[in-house]
Amino acid sequence: MTINPINNPAILDELPVGTEIRDADGDAGFKAHGGGWQVIGYAWALDADWFRFPVHVVNPTPATSELVADLTGPITMPMLKTELRRVVADIHSGAAAGALPEVLGRLERLLAPAGRR
């Protein structure tokens, strides 16, 4: 199972087709081609908000684990954009004068999977 719990239906919508999940009640589902979730006992695909959160991915691929970590990690999109703007500003204002290794380190930390800093 994934380490990072999923607490938002919108994140389930981003998972690839075929992904298996298990919710807080123990219900399991598979991501269907139409974007919904196939759950045993239901003839139709269910919406992501049907599940009881938190939800975990069962036997995730490395790519799916990284996707979940990125979407549920501590860095939010506004935080990411703010730091990227600072990095770009630093590059424009003189990173060529010797600060490039520090700027590259900041970029690497932003791109590191959640939990590996």
Side-chain angles (χ1 to χ4, degrees):
M1 294 222 204
T2 50
I3 294 171
N4 299 49
I6 298 170
N7 291 302
N8 187 322
I11 294 173
L12 294 184
D13 292 338
E14 299 301 319
L15 297 177
V17 170
T19 300
E20 180 183 3
I21 60 171
R22 186 168 313 278
D23 74 3
D25 289 335
D27 294 312
F30 289 89
K31 180 77 174 271
H33 285 282
W37 292 87
Q38 292 294 318
V39 177
I40 293 175
Y42 292 86
W44 58 90
L46 301 172
D47 292 332
D49 60 358
W50 179 86
F51 294 99
R52 181 173 165 103
F53 292 87
V55 170
H56 290 275
V57 176
V58 178
N59 298 321
T61 65
T64 301
S65 289
E66 189 168 328
L67 175 64
V68 170
D70 287 346
L71 294 173
T72 61
I75 297 178
T76 64
M77 186 58 71
M79 291 169 55
L80 179 63
K81 286 183 175 182
T82 298
E83 181 61 13
L84 287 174
R85 285 185 188 106
R86 288 181 187 146
V87 167
V88 169
D90 287 350
I91 290 170
H92 285 300
S93 69
L100 190 57
E102 187 270 331
V103 171
L104 288 174
R106 286 167 51 201
L107 285 172
E108 288 171 343
R109 285 189 296 279
L110 283 175
L111 297 173
R116 288 194 268 162
R117 297 207 178 272

mmCIF file of all heavy atoms in Angstrom, residues 22-71:
data_model
loop_
_atom_site.group_PDB
_atom_site.id
_atom_site.type_symbol
_atom_site.label_atom_id
_atom_site.label_comp_id
_atom_site.label_asym_id
_atom_site.label_seq_id
_atom_site.Cartn_x
_atom_site.Cartn_y
_atom_site.Cartn_z
ATOM 1 N N ARG A 22 -7.956 0.790 -1.641
ATOM 2 C CA ARG A 22 -8.736 0.260 -0.522
ATOM 3 C C ARG A 22 -9.034 1.438 0.396
ATOM 4 O O ARG A 22 -8.155 2.207 0.745
ATOM 5 C CB ARG A 22 -7.971 -0.831 0.212
ATOM 6 C CG ARG A 22 -8.796 -1.505 1.292
ATOM 7 C CD ARG A 22 -8.140 -2.768 1.817
ATOM 8 N NE ARG A 22 -7.631 -3.678 0.800
ATOM 9 C CZ ARG A 22 -8.367 -4.572 0.121
ATOM 10 N NH1 ARG A 22 -9.649 -4.673 0.366
ATOM 11 N NH2 ARG A 22 -7.821 -5.355 -0.769
ATOM 12 N N ASP A 23 -10.319 1.549 0.784
ATOM 13 C CA ASP A 23 -10.703 2.694 1.613
ATOM 14 C C ASP A 23 -10.716 2.340 3.099
ATOM 15 O O ASP A 23 -10.387 1.216 3.489
ATOM 16 C CB ASP A 23 -12.040 3.286 1.142
ATOM 17 C CG ASP A 23 -13.262 2.450 1.488
ATOM 18 O OD1 ASP A 23 -13.147 1.397 2.150
ATOM 19 O OD2 ASP A 23 -14.363 2.856 1.088
ATOM 20 N N ALA A 24 -11.110 3.304 3.925
ATOM 21 C CA ALA A 24 -11.095 3.150 5.376
ATOM 22 C C ALA A 24 -12.054 2.069 5.867
ATOM 23 O O ALA A 24 -11.874 1.529 6.958
ATOM 24 C CB ALA A 24 -11.424 4.482 6.046
ATOM 25 N N ASP A 25 -13.088 1.749 5.069
ATOM 26 C CA ASP A 25 -14.029 0.685 5.437
ATOM 27 C C ASP A 25 -13.596 -0.686 4.921
ATOM 28 O O ASP A 25 -14.266 -1.677 5.176
ATOM 29 C CB ASP A 25 -15.424 0.988 4.870
ATOM 30 C CG ASP A 25 -16.096 2.148 5.576
ATOM 31 O OD1 ASP A 25 -15.752 2.413 6.743
ATOM 32 O OD2 ASP A 25 -16.959 2.786 4.953
ATOM 33 N N GLY A 26 -12.501 -0.727 4.155
ATOM 34 C CA GLY A 26 -12.023 -1.982 3.588
ATOM 35 C C GLY A 26 -12.552 -2.268 2.193
ATOM 36 O O GLY A 26 -12.230 -3.297 1.610
ATOM 37 N N ASP A 27 -13.372 -1.366 1.646
ATOM 38 C CA ASP A 27 -13.867 -1.546 0.283
ATOM 39 C C ASP A 27 -12.726 -1.320 -0.703
ATOM 40 O O ASP A 27 -11.897 -0.423 -0.521
ATOM 41 C CB ASP A 27 -14.998 -0.552 -0.026
ATOM 42 C CG ASP A 27 -16.231 -0.817 0.812
ATOM 43 O OD1 ASP A 27 -16.654 -1.985 0.883
ATOM 44 O OD2 ASP A 27 -16.762 0.139 1.409
ATOM 45 N N ALA A 28 -12.695 -2.144 -1.747
ATOM 46 C CA ALA A 28 -11.653 -2.040 -2.764
ATOM 47 C C ALA A 28 -12.292 -1.690 -4.098
ATOM 48 O O ALA A 28 -13.433 -2.064 -4.382
ATOM 49 C CB ALA A 28 -10.873 -3.342 -2.872
ATOM 50 N N GLY A 29 -11.534 -0.982 -4.910
ATOM 51 C CA GLY A 29 -12.011 -0.621 -6.237
ATOM 52 C C GLY A 29 -10.850 -0.523 -7.204
ATOM 53 O O GLY A 29 -9.698 -0.380 -6.810
ATOM 54 N N PHE A 30 -11.186 -0.641 -8.499
ATOM 55 C CA PHE A 30 -10.207 -0.515 -9.565
ATOM 56 C C PHE A 30 -10.596 0.648 -10.454
ATOM 57 O O PHE A 30 -11.768 0.791 -10.810
ATOM 58 C CB PHE A 30 -10.160 -1.792 -10.416
ATOM 59 C CG PHE A 30 -9.553 -2.962 -9.710
ATOM 60 C CD1 PHE A 30 -10.341 -3.812 -8.947
ATOM 61 C CD2 PHE A 30 -8.196 -3.212 -9.803
ATOM 62 C CE1 PHE A 30 -9.792 -4.892 -8.287
ATOM 63 C CE2 PHE A 30 -7.632 -4.296 -9.142
ATOM 64 C CZ PHE A 30 -8.431 -5.138 -8.388
ATOM 65 N N LYS A 31 -9.630 1.467 -10.843
ATOM 66 C CA LYS A 31 -9.893 2.604 -11.731
ATOM 67 C C LYS A 31 -10.281 2.062 -13.102
ATOM 68 O O LYS A 31 -9.571 1.287 -13.714
ATOM 69 C CB LYS A 31 -8.646 3.498 -11.835
ATOM 70 C CG LYS A 31 -8.800 4.707 -12.719
ATOM 71 C CD LYS A 31 -9.580 5.794 -12.014
ATOM 72 C CE LYS A 31 -9.648 7.082 -12.774
ATOM 73 N NZ LYS A 31 -8.543 7.985 -12.482
ATOM 74 N N ALA A 32 -11.449 2.464 -13.598
ATOM 75 C CA ALA A 32 -11.981 1.997 -14.881
ATOM 76 C C ALA A 32 -11.564 2.944 -16.008
ATOM 77 O O ALA A 32 -11.146 4.075 -15.776
ATOM 78 C CB ALA A 32 -13.500 1.916 -14.800
ATOM 79 N N HIS A 33 -11.718 2.482 -17.236
ATOM 80 C CA HIS A 33 -11.350 3.283 -18.408
ATOM 81 C C HIS A 33 -12.171 4.553 -18.526
ATOM 82 O O HIS A 33 -11.675 5.554 -19.015
ATOM 83 C CB HIS A 33 -11.469 2.452 -19.690
ATOM 84 C CG HIS A 33 -10.351 1.474 -19.847
ATOM 85 N ND1 HIS A 33 -9.102 1.855 -20.281
ATOM 86 C CD2 HIS A 33 -10.285 0.150 -19.600
ATOM 87 C CE1 HIS A 33 -8.311 0.796 -20.303
ATOM 88 N NE2 HIS A 33 -8.996 -0.249 -19.889
ATOM 89 N N GLY A 34 -13.380 4.553 -18.080
ATOM 90 C CA GLY A 34 -14.229 5.736 -18.182
ATOM 91 C C GLY A 34 -13.972 6.779 -17.115
ATOM 92 O O GLY A 34 -14.626 7.814 -17.081
ATOM 93 N N GLY A 35 -13.031 6.517 -16.213
ATOM 94 C CA GLY A 35 -12.705 7.472 -15.162
ATOM 95 C C GLY A 35 -13.335 7.153 -13.823
ATOM 96 O O GLY A 35 -12.936 7.708 -12.816
ATOM 97 N N GLY A 36 -14.320 6.263 -13.795
ATOM 98 C CA GLY A 36 -14.951 5.877 -12.533
ATOM 99 C C GLY A 36 -14.197 4.744 -11.871
ATOM 100 O O GLY A 36 -13.092 4.379 -12.279
ATOM 101 N N TRP A 37 -14.819 4.165 -10.864
ATOM 102 C CA TRP A 37 -14.201 3.091 -10.081
ATOM 103 C C TRP A 37 -15.115 1.876 -10.065
ATOM 104 O O TRP A 37 -16.293 1.984 -9.739
ATOM 105 C CB TRP A 37 -13.927 3.566 -8.660
ATOM 106 C CG TRP A 37 -12.852 4.608 -8.646
ATOM 107 C CD1 TRP A 37 -13.003 5.952 -8.808
ATOM 108 C CD2 TRP A 37 -11.464 4.369 -8.532
ATOM 109 N NE1 TRP A 37 -11.781 6.560 -8.790
ATOM 110 C CE2 TRP A 37 -10.817 5.611 -8.616
ATOM 111 C CE3 TRP A 37 -10.697 3.209 -8.361
ATOM 112 C CZ2 TRP A 37 -9.433 5.737 -8.546
ATOM 113 C CZ3 TRP A 37 -9.322 3.349 -8.276
ATOM 114 C CH2 TRP A 37 -8.702 4.592 -8.365
ATOM 115 N N GLN A 38 -14.575 0.707 -10.430
ATOM 116 C CA GLN A 38 -15.305 -0.553 -10.375
ATOM 117 C C GLN A 38 -15.142 -1.142 -8.977
ATOM 118 O O GLN A 38 -14.023 -1.319 -8.500
ATOM 119 C CB GLN A 38 -14.755 -1.546 -11.412
ATOM 120 C CG GLN A 38 -15.028 -1.146 -12.839
ATOM 121 C CD GLN A 38 -16.511 -1.169 -13.150
ATOM 122 O OE1 GLN A 38 -17.234 -2.077 -12.754
ATOM 123 N NE2 GLN A 38 -16.962 -0.152 -13.852
ATOM 124 N N VAL A 39 -16.287 -1.402 -8.322
ATOM 125 C CA VAL A 39 -16.302 -1.960 -6.979
ATOM 126 C C VAL A 39 -17.171 -3.210 -7.018
ATOM 127 O O VAL A 39 -18.270 -3.188 -7.607
ATOM 128 C CB VAL A 39 -16.866 -0.941 -5.959
ATOM 129 C CG1 VAL A 39 -16.956 -1.549 -4.567
ATOM 130 C CG2 VAL A 39 -15.994 0.320 -5.942
ATOM 131 N N ILE A 40 -16.698 -4.283 -6.399
ATOM 132 C CA ILE A 40 -17.462 -5.539 -6.374
ATOM 133 C C ILE A 40 -18.834 -5.279 -5.774
ATOM 134 O O ILE A 40 -18.960 -4.612 -4.740
ATOM 135 C CB ILE A 40 -16.716 -6.623 -5.574
ATOM 136 C CG1 ILE A 40 -15.428 -7.007 -6.316
ATOM 137 C CG2 ILE A 40 -17.589 -7.850 -5.347
ATOM 138 C CD1 ILE A 40 -14.550 -7.978 -5.576
ATOM 139 N N GLY A 41 -19.861 -5.790 -6.425
ATOM 140 C CA GLY A 41 -21.226 -5.617 -5.955
ATOM 141 C C GLY A 41 -21.976 -4.510 -6.677
ATOM 142 O O GLY A 41 -23.178 -4.349 -6.487
ATOM 143 N N TYR A 42 -21.264 -3.740 -7.494
ATOM 144 C CA TYR A 42 -21.890 -2.656 -8.254
ATOM 145 C C TYR A 42 -21.681 -2.909 -9.743
ATOM 146 O O TYR A 42 -20.553 -3.150 -10.183
ATOM 147 C CB TYR A 42 -21.294 -1.291 -7.873
ATOM 148 C CG TYR A 42 -21.636 -0.877 -6.469
ATOM 149 C CD1 TYR A 42 -20.860 -1.296 -5.394
ATOM 150 C CD2 TYR A 42 -22.746 -0.094 -6.214
ATOM 151 C CE1 TYR A 42 -21.178 -0.942 -4.099
ATOM 152 C CE2 TYR A 42 -23.083 0.269 -4.917
ATOM 153 C CZ TYR A 42 -22.298 -0.163 -3.876
ATOM 154 O OH TYR A 42 -22.615 0.190 -2.588
ATOM 155 N N ALA A 43 -22.752 -2.841 -10.513
ATOM 156 C CA ALA A 43 -22.675 -3.099 -11.953
ATOM 157 C C ALA A 43 -22.177 -1.881 -12.725
ATOM 158 O O ALA A 43 -21.841 -1.982 -13.891
ATOM 159 C CB ALA A 43 -24.047 -3.524 -12.481
ATOM 160 N N TRP A 44 -22.142 -0.731 -12.097
ATOM 161 C CA TRP A 44 -21.728 0.500 -12.767
ATOM 162 C C TRP A 44 -20.510 1.080 -12.048
ATOM 163 O O TRP A 44 -20.239 0.759 -10.898
ATOM 164 C CB TRP A 44 -22.883 1.506 -12.779
ATOM 165 C CG TRP A 44 -23.376 1.839 -11.393
ATOM 166 C CD1 TRP A 44 -22.921 2.836 -10.581
ATOM 167 C CD2 TRP A 44 -24.357 1.138 -10.624
ATOM 168 N NE1 TRP A 44 -23.570 2.811 -9.368
ATOM 169 C CE2 TRP A 44 -24.469 1.766 -9.364
ATOM 170 C CE3 TRP A 44 -25.176 0.028 -10.886
ATOM 171 C CZ2 TRP A 44 -25.340 1.339 -8.383
ATOM 172 C CZ3 TRP A 44 -26.033 -0.391 -9.897
ATOM 173 C CH2 TRP A 44 -26.120 0.256 -8.663
ATOM 174 N N ALA A 45 -19.794 1.939 -12.739
ATOM 175 C CA ALA A 45 -18.630 2.596 -12.136
ATOM 176 C C ALA A 45 -19.093 3.660 -11.143
ATOM 177 O O ALA A 45 -20.059 4.379 -11.391
ATOM 178 C CB ALA A 45 -17.762 3.221 -13.221
ATOM 179 N N LEU A 46 -18.404 3.735 -10.029
ATOM 180 C CA LEU A 46 -18.732 4.698 -8.972
ATOM 181 C C LEU A 46 -17.803 5.909 -9.044
ATOM 182 O O LEU A 46 -16.677 5.819 -9.528
ATOM 183 C CB LEU A 46 -18.598 4.042 -7.607
ATOM 184 C CG LEU A 46 -19.486 2.814 -7.377
ATOM 185 C CD1 LEU A 46 -19.115 2.140 -6.066
ATOM 186 C CD2 LEU A 46 -20.949 3.204 -7.386
ATOM 187 N N ASP A 47 -18.275 7.029 -8.536
ATOM 188 C CA ASP A 47 -17.445 8.235 -8.443
ATOM 189 C C ASP A 47 -16.445 8.091 -7.309
ATOM 190 O O ASP A 47 -16.662 7.349 -6.345
ATOM 191 C CB ASP A 47 -18.303 9.471 -8.188
ATOM 192 C CG ASP A 47 -19.181 9.829 -9.361
ATOM 193 O OD1 ASP A 47 -18.800 9.512 -10.508
ATOM 194 O OD2 ASP A 47 -20.246 10.431 -9.138
ATOM 195 N N ALA A 48 -15.366 8.847 -7.409
ATOM 196 C CA ALA A 48 -14.302 8.789 -6.397
ATOM 197 C C ALA A 48 -14.796 9.165 -5.007
ATOM 198 O O ALA A 48 -14.289 8.659 -4.006
ATOM 199 C CB ALA A 48 -13.151 9.705 -6.812
ATOM 200 N N ASP A 49 -15.814 10.003 -4.917
ATOM 201 C CA ASP A 49 -16.285 10.419 -3.592
ATOM 202 C C ASP A 49 -17.148 9.360 -2.897
ATOM 203 O O ASP A 49 -17.578 9.560 -1.772
ATOM 204 C CB ASP A 49 -17.014 11.759 -3.654
ATOM 205 C CG ASP A 49 -18.231 11.742 -4.560
ATOM 206 O OD1 ASP A 49 -18.515 10.705 -5.187
ATOM 207 O OD2 ASP A 49 -18.895 12.790 -4.648
ATOM 208 N N TRP A 50 -17.372 8.224 -3.551
ATOM 209 C CA TRP A 50 -18.114 7.123 -2.931
ATOM 210 C C TRP A 50 -17.301 6.500 -1.794
ATOM 211 O O TRP A 50 -17.850 6.031 -0.800
ATOM 212 C CB TRP A 50 -18.441 6.048 -3.980
ATOM 213 C CG TRP A 50 -19.176 4.873 -3.416
ATOM 214 C CD1 TRP A 50 -20.516 4.747 -3.238
ATOM 215 C CD2 TRP A 50 -18.604 3.637 -2.939
ATOM 216 N NE1 TRP A 50 -20.805 3.523 -2.678
ATOM 217 C CE2 TRP A 50 -19.654 2.825 -2.488
ATOM 218 C CE3 TRP A 50 -17.305 3.150 -2.840
ATOM 219 C CZ2 TRP A 50 -19.449 1.561 -1.963
ATOM 220 C CZ3 TRP A 50 -17.099 1.885 -2.316
ATOM 221 C CH2 TRP A 50 -18.171 1.104 -1.886
ATOM 222 N N PHE A 51 -15.986 6.494 -1.914
ATOM 223 C CA PHE A 51 -15.123 5.827 -0.941
ATOM 224 C C PHE A 51 -15.048 6.605 0.370
ATOM 225 O O PHE A 51 -15.223 7.810 0.410
ATOM 226 C CB PHE A 51 -13.712 5.664 -1.513
ATOM 227 C CG PHE A 51 -13.669 4.737 -2.696
ATOM 228 C CD1 PHE A 51 -13.657 5.240 -3.985
ATOM 229 C CD2 PHE A 51 -13.657 3.373 -2.511
ATOM 230 C CE1 PHE A 51 -13.632 4.403 -5.073
ATOM 231 C CE2 PHE A 51 -13.636 2.506 -3.596
ATOM 232 C CZ PHE A 51 -13.623 3.033 -4.883
ATOM 233 N N ARG A 52 -14.774 5.856 1.443
ATOM 234 C CA ARG A 52 -14.570 6.485 2.756
ATOM 235 C C ARG A 52 -13.067 6.729 2.909
ATOM 236 O O ARG A 52 -12.257 5.809 2.817
ATOM 237 C CB ARG A 52 -15.085 5.572 3.859
ATOM 238 C CG ARG A 52 -14.929 6.190 5.231
ATOM 239 C CD ARG A 52 -15.610 5.317 6.264
ATOM 240 N NE ARG A 52 -15.177 5.684 7.582
ATOM 241 C CZ ARG A 52 -15.911 6.410 8.418
ATOM 242 N NH1 ARG A 52 -17.109 6.811 8.053
ATOM 243 N NH2 ARG A 52 -15.452 6.707 9.602
ATOM 244 N N PHE A 53 -12.729 7.961 3.150
ATOM 245 C CA PHE A 53 -11.326 8.357 3.231
ATOM 246 C C PHE A 53 -10.806 8.254 4.658
ATOM 247 O O PHE A 53 -11.587 8.411 5.588
ATOM 248 C CB PHE A 53 -11.180 9.786 2.690
ATOM 249 C CG PHE A 53 -11.438 9.839 1.212
ATOM 250 C CD1 PHE A 53 -12.728 9.994 0.724
ATOM 251 C CD2 PHE A 53 -10.398 9.684 0.318
ATOM 252 C CE1 PHE A 53 -12.973 10.014 -0.632
ATOM 253 C CE2 PHE A 53 -10.640 9.706 -1.043
ATOM 254 C CZ PHE A 53 -11.935 9.870 -1.520
ATOM 255 N N PRO A 54 -9.514 7.962 4.824
ATOM 256 C CA PRO A 54 -8.459 7.939 3.825
ATOM 257 C C PRO A 54 -8.471 6.655 3.001
ATOM 258 O O PRO A 54 -8.966 5.616 3.429
ATOM 259 C CB PRO A 54 -7.179 8.046 4.642
ATOM 260 C CG PRO A 54 -7.518 7.438 5.968
ATOM 261 C CD PRO A 54 -8.989 7.755 6.182
ATOM 262 N N VAL A 55 -7.885 6.770 1.815
ATOM 263 C CA VAL A 55 -7.777 5.680 0.858
ATOM 264 C C VAL A 55 -6.290 5.433 0.605
ATOM 265 O O VAL A 55 -5.492 6.365 0.633
ATOM 266 C CB VAL A 55 -8.497 6.071 -0.464
ATOM 267 C CG1 VAL A 55 -8.213 5.083 -1.559
ATOM 268 C CG2 VAL A 55 -9.991 6.202 -0.229
ATOM 269 N N HIS A 56 -5.937 4.177 0.360
ATOM 270 C CA HIS A 56 -4.558 3.813 0.016
ATOM 271 C C HIS A 56 -4.562 3.045 -1.294
ATOM 272 O O HIS A 56 -5.513 2.318 -1.590
ATOM 273 C CB HIS A 56 -3.933 2.935 1.098
ATOM 274 C CG HIS A 56 -3.667 3.659 2.368
ATOM 275 N ND1 HIS A 56 -2.525 4.393 2.589
ATOM 276 C CD2 HIS A 56 -4.407 3.796 3.487
ATOM 277 C CE1 HIS A 56 -2.578 4.930 3.789
ATOM 278 N NE2 HIS A 56 -3.711 4.579 4.361
ATOM 279 N N VAL A 57 -3.489 3.188 -2.063
ATOM 280 C CA VAL A 57 -3.309 2.410 -3.283
ATOM 281 C C VAL A 57 -2.729 1.061 -2.879
ATOM 282 O O VAL A 57 -1.778 0.989 -2.094
ATOM 283 C CB VAL A 57 -2.378 3.129 -4.280
ATOM 284 C CG1 VAL A 57 -2.123 2.262 -5.498
ATOM 285 C CG2 VAL A 57 -2.970 4.470 -4.680
ATOM 286 N N VAL A 58 -3.287 -0.021 -3.424
ATOM 287 C CA VAL A 58 -2.823 -1.377 -3.151
ATOM 288 C C VAL A 58 -1.792 -1.754 -4.217
ATOM 289 O O VAL A 58 -2.048 -1.596 -5.407
ATOM 290 C CB VAL A 58 -4.008 -2.374 -3.185
ATOM 291 C CG1 VAL A 58 -3.519 -3.796 -2.959
ATOM 292 C CG2 VAL A 58 -5.065 -1.980 -2.163
ATOM 293 N N ASN A 59 -0.644 -2.240 -3.793
ATOM 294 C CA ASN A 59 0.436 -2.661 -4.693
ATOM 295 C C ASN A 59 0.726 -1.631 -5.785
ATOM 296 O O ASN A 59 0.654 -1.932 -6.980
ATOM 297 C CB ASN A 59 0.101 -4.021 -5.338
ATOM 298 C CG ASN A 59 -0.028 -5.105 -4.316
ATOM 299 O OD1 ASN A 59 0.725 -5.159 -3.346
ATOM 300 N ND2 ASN A 59 -1.005 -5.980 -4.503
ATOM 301 N N PRO A 60 1.081 -0.412 -5.398
ATOM 302 C CA PRO A 60 1.334 0.626 -6.406
ATOM 303 C C PRO A 60 2.617 0.372 -7.187
ATOM 304 O O PRO A 60 3.565 -0.214 -6.657
ATOM 305 C CB PRO A 60 1.461 1.893 -5.570
ATOM 306 C CG PRO A 60 1.966 1.411 -4.254
ATOM 307 C CD PRO A 60 1.310 0.069 -4.043
ATOM 308 N N THR A 61 2.630 0.814 -8.428
ATOM 309 C CA THR A 61 3.867 0.815 -9.203
ATOM 310 C C THR A 61 4.739 1.943 -8.647
ATOM 311 O O THR A 61 4.226 2.833 -7.960
ATOM 312 C CB THR A 61 3.590 1.081 -10.689
ATOM 313 O OG1 THR A 61 3.053 2.415 -10.816
ATOM 314 C CG2 THR A 61 2.613 0.062 -11.278
ATOM 315 N N PRO A 62 6.019 1.938 -8.949
ATOM 316 C CA PRO A 62 6.854 3.064 -8.502
ATOM 317 C C PRO A 62 6.321 4.402 -9.017
ATOM 318 O O PRO A 62 6.327 5.392 -8.276
ATOM 319 C CB PRO A 62 8.231 2.737 -9.084
ATOM 320 C CG PRO A 62 8.254 1.241 -9.172
ATOM 321 C CD PRO A 62 6.845 0.860 -9.554
ATOM 322 N N ALA A 63 5.845 4.442 -10.251
ATOM 323 C CA ALA A 63 5.320 5.693 -10.806
ATOM 324 C C ALA A 63 4.067 6.143 -10.066
ATOM 325 O O ALA A 63 3.891 7.335 -9.794
ATOM 326 C CB ALA A 63 5.034 5.529 -12.298
ATOM 327 N N THR A 64 3.190 5.204 -9.722
ATOM 328 C CA THR A 64 1.973 5.561 -8.994
ATOM 329 C C THR A 64 2.304 6.014 -7.578
ATOM 330 O O THR A 64 1.720 6.971 -7.076
ATOM 331 C CB THR A 64 0.980 4.383 -8.980
ATOM 332 O OG1 THR A 64 0.658 4.040 -10.323
ATOM 333 C CG2 THR A 64 -0.297 4.734 -8.240
ATOM 334 N N SER A 65 3.261 5.358 -6.940
ATOM 335 C CA SER A 65 3.688 5.782 -5.593
ATOM 336 C C SER A 65 4.219 7.208 -5.620
ATOM 337 O O SER A 65 3.897 8.017 -4.749
ATOM 338 C CB SER A 65 4.776 4.860 -5.051
ATOM 339 O OG SER A 65 4.245 3.614 -4.737
ATOM 340 N N GLU A 66 5.019 7.526 -6.638
ATOM 341 C CA GLU A 66 5.576 8.876 -6.743
ATOM 342 C C GLU A 66 4.470 9.891 -7.023
ATOM 343 O O GLU A 66 4.462 10.985 -6.450
ATOM 344 C CB GLU A 66 6.635 8.938 -7.839
ATOM 345 C CG GLU A 66 7.377 10.241 -7.849
ATOM 346 C CD GLU A 66 8.609 10.220 -8.726
ATOM 347 O OE1 GLU A 66 9.243 9.164 -8.859
ATOM 348 O OE2 GLU A 66 8.926 11.279 -9.286
ATOM 349 N N LEU A 67 3.505 9.515 -7.873
ATOM 350 C CA LEU A 67 2.382 10.410 -8.162
ATOM 351 C C LEU A 67 1.596 10.714 -6.886
ATOM 352 O O LEU A 67 1.287 11.872 -6.595
ATOM 353 C CB LEU A 67 1.466 9.802 -9.219
ATOM 354 C CG LEU A 67 0.190 10.564 -9.542
ATOM 355 C CD1 LEU A 67 0.511 11.926 -10.143
ATOM 356 C CD2 LEU A 67 -0.683 9.739 -10.487
ATOM 357 N N VAL A 68 1.282 9.689 -6.111
ATOM 358 C CA VAL A 68 0.536 9.881 -4.864
ATOM 359 C C VAL A 68 1.347 10.744 -3.898
ATOM 360 O O VAL A 68 0.803 11.662 -3.273
ATOM 361 C CB VAL A 68 0.151 8.533 -4.223
ATOM 362 C CG1 VAL A 68 -0.402 8.716 -2.823
ATOM 363 C CG2 VAL A 68 -0.856 7.800 -5.104
ATOM 364 N N ALA A 69 2.634 10.483 -3.796
ATOM 365 C CA ALA A 69 3.481 11.291 -2.903
ATOM 366 C C ALA A 69 3.488 12.750 -3.339
ATOM 367 O O ALA A 69 3.401 13.657 -2.509
ATOM 368 C CB ALA A 69 4.904 10.730 -2.879
ATOM 369 N N ASP A 70 3.572 12.974 -4.657
ATOM 370 C CA ASP A 70 3.566 14.350 -5.153
ATOM 371 C C ASP A 70 2.238 15.048 -4.878
ATOM 372 O O ASP A 70 2.206 16.222 -4.514
ATOM 373 C CB ASP A 70 3.838 14.391 -6.659
ATOM 374 C CG ASP A 70 5.291 14.096 -7.007
ATOM 375 O OD1 ASP A 70 6.148 14.123 -6.099
ATOM 376 O OD2 ASP A 70 5.562 13.828 -8.192
ATOM 377 N N LEU A 71 1.135 14.335 -5.045
ATOM 378 C CA LEU A 71 -0.182 14.947 -4.893
ATOM 379 C C LEU A 71 -0.615 15.101 -3.436
ATOM 380 O O LEU A 71 -1.479 15.922 -3.125
ATOM 381 C CB LEU A 71 -1.238 14.143 -5.659
ATOM 382 C CG LEU A 71 -1.087 14.129 -7.183
ATOM 383 C CD1 LEU A 71 -2.092 13.172 -7.808
ATOM 384 C CD2 LEU A 71 -1.243 15.526 -7.755
#
